[in-house]
Amino acid sequence: MKLIMKSRTIPYLSGRFFDGISSGLFMMALPWIMLATPNMGSFVAMVALACTAISFFLTPFFSTLIDRHSRKSLLVLVQFIQFGTAGVVFVAYSLDLGSHWLLAGAQLVYWVSSNLGWTTNNAFTQENYEPHEYASISGKQEVIMQGTTLGAGALGVVLLEQWGMLEFSAFATIAASIATLSYIITPYRQKLRETNTASFIEQLKESKKIITNEPRFYAFLMLSALSYPILTYLGKLVPIWFSETGVSGHWLAGYNIAFGLGSLITGIFVTRLLSLSTHTSTIVYAMIIAAVSVVGMSFSVHPAHLLLFTLIFGVFNALNRIARTNWMHHTIAVEQRGRADGGLQMFATLIQSISYVVIALLSHYDLTEYGFMIAAITMIGAAMLMRFLAAKITTNQVAVPQN
């Protein structure tokens, strides 16, 4: 049994490793090179807004695709698209055709495809592993993804300051190509899913029913999922704040490393942490502590203090997300997982879009530092409401058969 899991896990985690490097370089570091030009804070925020708006409208279609087609094939497709995008950037800069608009377009492609890849990975994990393996594989995924995505983001900032876009994009292209090959050789066992009994449109319409049948359950999950738009909000707010206050890119790299290190700590100990309490309790206390850490960020007067609270936020943001994901592995039918995740992703994307409008306004009126307090108040309110909903959820969600 261990040998079977190992044969499935090594190539899969290899794919996630190089996927994280490629995505991290483009998602986390490209905004910094755009911010190197004065007065680009609003442009960066509006690019992010465009990315989230497009992702929002595409999510229902992507989620239905995940429930109808091979999840392995979708993972390969995402990596192929990102490989091509990084390659286009490489060719453009080798011909001196680079521009901020090209970088914005590349970020859009990476953003939208990464959202598809993220949701597909959740469904793929539930389908390709047994319930008793979920906690273990989640810990390994967290170590890999946070160590690469945010580590690559930190590395990317340094590379952009030491190298140029040509070397940067070449590195990302190579990483995406290796991720593609790794996913191709990953063993996959597609479980029974009733894709032939309903049309694509019928399954698309069914997405709303999946969520409305369990309103309190999904309301709780959506509030928990707020930690993601808060993370991406901070990911855009911090570089703008650093840029406006003259803080060097090395501190931004430190911010990414601090968050990644916190998530790595969670990934190492997550199996034990999940065994200490129920999923609902773990999600609630992780959200509360993460909210307190954002409050600490809002009062930080030096980048070093902000990095310390970022480390704490990284630990409990990761615990909240992993506990939520594992709870969904155990309680949502495998043939509905893509659409269930899609509903949460649409909510998170909507909040992301609103948050980027807030950042653009704060940057325009030179009020960026108040953005941290807005995030803190939002998380505290969500945590309080989650405690109320947790008491109203009458069951720890009875596990469903996984075919």
Side-chain angles (χ1 to χ4, degrees), residues 322-335:
I322 294 173
R324 179 180 67 250
T325 301
N326 274 267
W327 195 23
M328 294 175 72
H329 285 339
H330 286 283
T331 57
I332 296 175
V334 69
E335 64 270 15

Side-chain angles (χ1 to χ4, degrees), residues 34-56:
M34 288 188 276
L35 288 168
T37 302
N39 303 317
M40 289 293 288
S42 297
F43 178 80
V44 170
M46 294 310 294
V47 168
L49 174 61
C51 291
T52 55
I54 293 172
S55 293
F56 179 85

Side-chain angles (χ1 to χ4, degrees), residues 11-12 22 30 51 95 130-131 139 155 165 273 308 312 353 371-372 401:
Y12 174 52
S22 177
L30 278 190
C51 291
L95 299 175
E130 298 295 336
L155 174 64
M165 277 303 303
L273 290 172
L308 175 61
I312 299 171
S353 300
F372 295 99

Side-chain angles (χ1 to χ4, degrees), residues 137-192:
I137 189 63
S138 292
K140 293 182 176 69
Q141 287 174 322
E142 190 67 23
V143 170
I144 292 292
M145 288 304 295
Q146 297 304 333
T148 55
T149 302
L150 296 174
L155 174 64
V157 172
V158 175
L159 290 180
L160 284 172
E161 293 190 346
Q162 301 296 324
W163 292 354
M165 277 303 303
L166 193 64
E167 296 88 350
F168 176 87
S169 56
F171 191 17
T173 303
I174 293 170
S177 65
I178 298 174
T180 304
L181 293 174
S182 297
Y183 284 138
I184 288 174
I185 65 173
T186 299
Y188 174 54
R189 49 174 192 175
Q190 183 170 335
K191 295 181 180 177
L192 176 63

Side-chain angles (χ1 to χ4, degrees), residues 59-68 200 203-204 207 339:
T59 292
F61 300 95
F62 285 167
S63 300
T64 305
L65 284 176
I66 291 169
D67 283 344
R68 292 180 65 86
F200 181 92
Q203 286 194 307
L204 181 63
S207 301
R339 286 166 293 167

